[in-house]
Amino acid sequence: MGEAEITDPASLAKAIAELEKRMKAAAKRLEFEEAAAIRDRIKELRAQQIYKA
């Protein structure tokens, strides 16, 4: 999850969608710490979306 900052809005949306899939998969595997870390990264990317708009 240590991606560089994504600046393209389409790439940002794609990255968020992919991370959401990974988060759900981790939760399904009962890996809640990993899911929480991914959730936090999603929040960071969504904040970028808001400030880029």
Side-chain angles (χ1 to χ4, degrees):
M1 282 184 292
E3 305 98 359
E5 186 173 330
I6 302 167
T7 57
D8 175 39
S11 297
L12 194 55
K14 186 176 178 181
I16 290 170
E18 181 60 34
L19 285 171
E20 286 174 338
K21 289 179 191 176
R22 289 175 49 195
M23 178 182 67
K24 290 175 185 178
K28 192 172 185 177
R29 293 188 313 268
L30 305 179
E31 295 177 2
F32 300 118
E33 290 181 11
E34 180 182 348
I38 296 169
R39 177 204 62 212
D40 294 345
R41 179 63 178 144
I42 291 169
K43 285 182 182 179
E44 292 173 4
L45 292 177
R46 285 195 177 137
Q48 283 183 28
Q49 261 184 335
I50 291 169
Y51 293 120
K52 300 272 183 210

